[in-house]
Amino acid sequence: MRLLPLFFVSAAAVGLETALTRYFAVANWSDYGYWVISIVMVGFAFSGVTLALAEHFLRRHAGLLFAILPAALTASAALGYSAVILNPFNPLALQNQATWLPQLQNIGLYYLALLPFFYLTGIFISLCFCGTSERLGKVYAADMLGAGAGTLLVLGLMYAVPAFALTACLLPLLALAGLFAQTYRKRAVLAALVALGLSEALLGFGPQAALSQYKPIYPPLHTPNAKILATLHSPHGEYILLDDFTERVNTDISNDSAMLGYPGPPRAYGLYRDGIRIASLPRPGPANTGYAPGALDALPYTLRPHASTLLIGTSGGFRTQEALALGAAHVDALEPEPVLYRAITQGLSASPAIAPNPNLRIFNDNPRAAVESGQHYEIIDTASDFLDAAPANVYAFSAQAFAADLNALTPGGILSVPVSIQDFPAYALRLLGTMRAAYQLRGIDDAGPYIILYRSAWNTRLLASNTPFTAADIKTAAKWADDRSFDISYYQGFDPIAARDNLYNDLPAVSFTDGTANENAMDDSIADEAAGILAGAPTISSQAFDLRPVTDDRPAFYAILRLNQLSLLLARLQILPQAEIGALVNLAVLAQAVAIAALVLLVPLAAPRRARRGFSVPRPALYFSVLALGYMFLEIFAIERVSLLLNDRAAGFSVVLSTMLACSGLGSFYSSRFTARPSRGMALAFAVIAIWGGIMLVISGPAALAAGALPYGLRIALAVLALAPVSLAMGMPFPLGLERIRAQNFFLPWAWGLNGAFSVVAPPLANLLLRNIGLHAVLGGAILLYAVAACSLPLPEGQTFWFPVLRRSAAAD
């Protein structure tokens, strides 16, 4: 019985896949984690092809292969990881047309380094399916349960060891597989132990991973006398608290602050996650908030003095002190980022906790749950760094979120929302369009009287109210901005042409098509288009970029590139924001995945005719392809919804992946009951998936938001309970299909290869649907794919009719 070694190999493979994803997030950027998924599934696909074409040879030597593969897997994992460390890939050079070609070669080297391990893993797993007398449902169950266990193990390790040490911690799982070899046991054990020892030595004393020199942390980390005060390991990321002379409170201060008598921002500590700065943290000593009146985000406190205030994000605690210094009567502050919340409430190393104040309360809550709690505020103020502090925070910037914020204001209250315009001013226009959609959700078609837009050279603030701004409000805002050399970009009746004569911060319109800028006179390109955006009229930017509103169904703020203009995007690659690069990486992975899937589909043409005699090739090709797509589509949908429920993408990913893998394994085990009548098992599985999917299409978003105020542990339990039924059903179709074709030795490994190939296609395709259509398209697509699978279950040998209804197929059983 090879189920236990299969369990260990599957656990190690999924663990290493996750560990490598974390490596790319820390050493480069998380966008390049797509490569890992691609490499894994390409390895699995190629292994299935190999076994399909050389099935007789590999089965004849299966005993020897099972004995030596654990050692080979251990060595290839260590050597591949070391090669990845040595790769000189420069993600910034990839965006430069003069330097991108060598970086493509470096990407190819990543594939060469990691593909051997996942290829050999695929060979091991494929052999387990082809060479067993067990029910295939039990084999698939061992595979899925091992993957689920590996997910939980690596997530637990992330709390204990650095991301760069995860690979070394997972290698013993591969050696354990060698200890249970059925043939050549002594040699297998010796080879596994020797490989483990040498591999651990290589990882311990060979090339060592380090933070990329292209990450924002690298320059301050290498300034004189810079000190790392604390490091924290977590699935959320690798956190570093840094003390160096460059660290100050990160806020947008008026250029005239000194003339107005305001001091500059005080020194601070810098908190970095995966090498990217997410917040300033206070140094010991009394709070210094003298700079606050000169900051861009201070205007609401002038318009609504002594306000009850809700802060969405705390900027490391500084926003709480600034709001109180600006005269807020009472402050409720939300900090959903777990490490930041711990730092400001308990302290972190030398950084003290925020001093207790009777007028201040700090919560680790979901912003949506807070604004829908029934309490009302005069000001709801979103921190300037909140959007980028955590991936799940994008849900606070949707049209539905803004509508909820406006409902939580007292009459005449103000919602203040920031957006950076350092990369593209068009992001401010997208924010404005999203706010317009929020007013439409509240039954207001003309949002103009309710909005004031103002900016510095680097950032824009949008003020929105549930009642029209008065003439006095507008006069006060204009004077306040003029005193601080900020610029007004919109209010009802604003004249952008007349305002050019008194413009402080030039923001010329730049043509994305030809790259030219209007430099003839001072200009404010946001002001030029704001009225058009609020009116829903076409503008220059709305034609060049996708400025549709951010919604709960399409929660991607940094997604304004029109991907159908690929040649233009490649020509402008050097100026694209880093946040937008992930979409292009996604397209590259999709193109590669489609090519590989096409090659795997054509494998039967290379097989001997006798291997295909009496069996329909198109049916299993369609069946196993759509199963892989459908499974991954449902998984991606679940990750998005559970992330909204937990307000934490890392936790959402962990809960979904571990639950789905474990429950799918149990479902696979249960599918053995339908071995004699696979069509009935498939009908049951599809019925559960279709009913669950239909319910989730209607209630998943509202239910996730409604449960957002529940205790965290209870929310996790609810997510597991919601996912368990559909995950059990999702584990049944693959082994049921395998049972139908197990008599044809050629088709078993080919089915495994198809599963791997189309699992590469699924994530980038689902992300493309999510970005351009919405989450409902991902779930609807999954239901449709499973419907196709239900109609294309491989037929018993000798039957050739196409797409029978389930009842007829059941009768044929």
Side-chain angles (χ1 to χ4, degrees):
M1 181 181 293
R2 300 190 176 100
L3 298 186
L4 198 55
L6 173 60
F7 178 90
F8 288 130
V9 169
S10 296
V14 172
L16 282 168
E17 177 184 356
T18 307
L20 288 167
T21 302
R22 289 294 307 129
Y23 169 86
F24 278 103
V26 178
N28 293 292
W29 273 278
S30 58
D31 298 322
Y32 299 105
Y34 281 121
W35 294 340
V36 179
I37 300 172
S38 171
I39 294 168
V40 172
M41 294 306 175
V42 169
F44 286 179
F46 285 173
S47 69
V49 171
T50 301
L51 195 56
L53 297 178
E55 185 261 341
H56 291 292
F57 174 82
L58 293 174
R59 280 173 65 99
R60 191 165 60 249
H61 297 90
L64 177 62
L65 288 171
F66 279 123
I68 64 175
L69 276 175
L73 286 167
T74 306
S76 61
L79 290 169
Y81 185 65
S82 297
V84 165
I85 294 172
L86 294 172
N87 193 315
F89 175 70
N90 178 351
L92 299 182
L94 191 63
Q95 291 183 244
N96 189 321
Q97 290 182 322
T99 58
W100 64 269
L101 187 58
Q103 302 314 312
L104 291 183
Q105 296 170 352
N106 289 333
I107 293 171
L109 292 177
Y110 280 135
Y111 277 77
L112 288 177
L114 297 175
L115 197 58
F117 170 77
F118 292 106
Y119 172 77
L120 294 176
T121 300
I123 292 290
F124 188 98
I125 297 174
S126 297
L127 280 173
C128 288
F129 279 102
C130 296
T132 182
S133 59
E134 297 279 353
R135 293 292 187 188
L136 291 177
K138 292 183 179 180
V139 180
Y140 191 55
D143 179 27
M144 298 298 279
L145 289 171
T151 301
L152 292 175
L153 174 62
V154 75
L155 290 172
L157 287 171
M158 285 182 191
Y159 286 104
V161 301
F164 295 148
L166 290 172
T167 297
C169 296
L170 294 166
L171 294 184
L173 289 174
L174 297 169
L176 279 174
L179 300 183
F180 293 93
Q182 293 180 327
T183 56
Y184 308 100
R185 175 167 292 184
K186 291 184 178 179
R187 296 179 183 179
V189 171
L190 178 61
L193 293 177
V194 170
L196 178 62
L198 293 175
S199 297
E200 295 289 6
L202 174 62
L203 296 181
F205 301 102
Q208 298 299 301
L211 286 164
S212 170
Q213 60 181 310
Y214 309 110
K215 281 293 186 77
I217 193 175
Y218 191 86
L221 185 60
H222 291 81
T223 56
N225 302 316
K227 297 178 182 178
I228 295 178
L229 301 179
T231 58
L232 294 174
H233 314 301
S234 144
H236 304 281
E238 294 291 305
Y239 294 84
I240 293 177
L241 183 64
L242 187 62
D243 178 17
D244 66 276
F245 74 87
T246 69
E247 304 289 350
R248 293 188 177 274
V249 174
N250 187 18
T251 189
D252 198 342
I253 295 291
S254 165
N255 293 330
D256 298 333
S257 284
M259 184 176 63
L260 294 170
Y262 305 138
R267 287 193 61 191
Y269 299 128
L271 183 64
Y272 293 79
R273 183 182 61 225
D274 291 343
I276 298 173
R277 197 176 195 270
I278 63 170
S280 306
L281 288 182
R283 301 174 71 90
N288 177 3
T289 55
Y291 62 92
L296 184 70
D297 45 24
L299 175 56
Y301 302 90
T302 299
L303 294 174
R304 301 291 182 267
H306 312 297
S308 60
T309 301
L310 174 67
L311 296 178
I312 300 178
T314 64
S315 297
F318 284 101
R319 288 298 296 139
T320 64
Q321 305 305 301
E322 292 164 7
L324 291 170
L326 290 169
H330 179 85
V331 174
D332 285 345
L334 305 178
E335 185 49 78
E337 214 289 337
V339 172
L340 274 177
Y341 176 75
R342 171 186 162 185
I344 63 178
T345 56
Q346 302 176 27
L348 179 62
S349 183
S351 179
I354 299 298
N357 188 310
N359 296 319
L360 172 65
R361 298 187 300 176
I362 303 175
F363 304 95
N364 184 220
D365 279 353
N366 183 330
R368 297 289 287 277
V371 297
E372 294 178 358
S373 65
Q375 188 165 350
H376 292 80
Y377 300 89
E378 293 167 278
I379 293 176
I380 297 179
D381 185 2
T382 305
S384 59
D385 54 6
F386 184 73
L387 177 59
D388 298 323
N393 289 356
V394 70
Y395 282 103
F397 286 76
S398 70
Q400 291 83 358
F402 290 157
D405 293 340
L406 291 169
N407 288 334
L409 292 172
T410 59
I414 293 176
L415 168 64
S416 176
V417 187
V419 64
S420 170
I421 55 174
Q422 294 185 55
D423 294 316
F424 278 173
Y427 288 131
L429 300 176
R430 183 169 216 199
L431 179 70
L432 192 60
T434 302
M435 189 63 74
R436 173 178 180 264
Y439 279 101
Q440 290 177 327
L441 290 174
R442 303 181 76 240
I444 299 173
D445 290 328
D446 182 11
Y450 302 83
I451 286 175
I452 295 176
L453 196 67
Y454 68 106
R455 67 175 183 86
S456 68
W458 312 109
N459 299 283
T460 296
R461 276 270 167 180
L462 189 157
L463 303 187
S465 181
N466 51 15
T467 61
F469 283 108
T470 65
D473 288 332
I474 292 172
K475 182 178 180 181
T476 300
K479 183 179 186 308
W480 183 92
D482 185 62
D483 288 345
R484 291 159 178 78
S485 299
F486 295 137
D487 295 302
I488 298 289
S489 293
Y490 179 83
Y491 54 74
Q492 182 76 8
F494 180 75
D495 185 350
I497 297 176
R500 292 174 184 172
D501 295 333
N502 299 301
L503 203 62
Y504 293 105
N505 303 282
D506 189 24
L507 189 65
V510 179
S511 170
F512 188 69
T513 303
D514 57 27
T516 60
N518 177 16
E519 298 180 353
N520 296 327
M522 297 284 281
D523 191 15
D524 183 344
S525 59
I526 295 175
D528 294 340
E529 299 189 59
I533 294 293
L534 286 173
T539 67
I540 294 174
S541 293
S542 67
Q543 294 172 356
F545 300 105
D546 182 0
L547 300 183
R548 289 178 297 166
V550 180
T551 67
D552 286 346
D553 190 56
R554 197 175 60 251
F557 189 86
Y558 297 117
I560 65 173
L561 300 182
R562 295 190 180 277
L563 298 180
N564 58 349
Q565 301 175 343
L566 187 58
S567 59
L568 176 60
L569 297 180
L570 294 177
R572 299 284 176 267
L573 191 62
Q574 195 166 357
I575 65 171
L576 296 183
Q578 182 61 42
E580 298 277 3
I581 294 299
L584 298 182
V585 175
N586 187 74
L587 279 182
V589 171
L590 179 60
Q592 168 209 277
V594 169
I596 291 170
L599 290 174
V600 176
L601 281 171
L602 295 175
V603 165
L605 297 179
R609 182 173 298 178
R610 58 182 172 78
R612 294 180 279 128
R613 187 177 296 119
F615 209 86
S616 171
V617 172
R619 289 187 69 91
L622 179 62
Y623 181 79
F624 291 106
S625 300
V626 297
L627 276 187
L629 292 171
Y631 192 102
M632 295 298 292
F633 273 33
L634 275 176
E635 185 176 284
I636 289 169
F637 168 82
I639 289 172
E640 286 294 330
R641 279 297 180 243
V642 176
S643 297
L644 175 59
L645 172 66
L646 303 179
N647 197 45
D648 186 331
R649 189 168 296 276
F653 175 84
S654 305
V655 170
V656 170
L657 195 61
S658 55
T659 301
M660 280 196 160
L661 290 173
C663 291
S664 292
L666 295 175
S668 178
F669 188 83
Y670 178 72
S671 72
S672 299
R673 296 189 176 192
F674 297 94
T675 301
R677 297 184 175 183
S679 293
R680 291 190 178 182
M682 185 64 208
L684 174 62
F686 173 66
V688 172
I689 292 168
I691 293 171
W692 184 91
I695 293 172
M696 289 299 123
L697 274 174
V698 177
I699 72 166
S700 62
L705 293 171
L710 296 175
Y712 192 73
L714 181 56
R715 280 182 279 158
I716 291 177
L718 288 174
V720 172
L721 288 174
L723 291 171
V726 73
S727 301
L728 285 165
M730 290 162 63
M732 296 174 62
F734 189 73
L736 289 172
L738 292 181
E739 286 290 351
R740 274 285 180 85
I741 64 172
R742 75 178 300 166
Q744 300 289 328
N745 292 331
F746 166 81
F747 284 98
L748 279 175
W750 181 54
W752 173 254
L754 283 174
N755 184 71
F758 280 87
S759 292
V760 185
V761 174
L765 181 58
N767 286 330
L768 196 62
L769 287 173
L770 175 61
R771 173 192 174 98
N772 291 283
I773 303 177
L775 200 53
H776 71 279
V778 178
L779 179 56
I783 297 172
L784 179 61
L785 289 164
Y786 273 102
V788 174
C791 296
S792 58
L793 181 68
L795 300 173
E797 187 174 357
Q799 294 191 16
T800 58
F801 55 82
W802 184 252
F803 280 133
V805 296
L806 292 176
R807 183 164 52 83
R808 179 180 175 185
S809 198
D813 287 333

